[in-house]
Amino acid sequence: MSGTPYPSFVDAPWAGAYVRLANHCSTCVTCTTVDEEGVNLQLPCAKADQLYEKYRQAQHA
């Protein structure tokens, strides 16, 4: 073993974009809408789409 730690997820350049996306999707009324059986309806959400695009771009930067 080399003794050097693995890079932290927090240090990843896309981590901030991922956290913003995750925070939105876990609290947004549209993103969390479920049917009577508890299955997420995956309704379209413009804000989630925008945050996902920023996350995707950050991954490829």
Side-chain angles (χ1 to χ4, degrees):
M1 298 182 73
S2 66
T4 59
Y6 290 103
S8 170
F9 164 80
V10 177
D11 296 333
W14 46 264
Y18 177 80
V19 169
R20 286 186 291 279
L21 175 62
N23 284 340
H24 170 80
C25 291
S26 64
T27 59
C28 171
V29 174
T30 303
C31 293
T32 59
T33 300
V34 296
D35 67 10
E36 60 278 348
E37 295 177 8
V39 176
N40 188 294
L41 295 176
Q42 298 181 354
L43 298 175
C45 174
K47 182 67 175 180
D49 291 344
Q50 180 185 46
L51 290 169
Y52 177 75
E53 184 59 28
K54 288 181 180 180
Y55 163 65
R56 193 184 69 74
Q57 288 175 1
Q59 283 186 305
H60 299 289

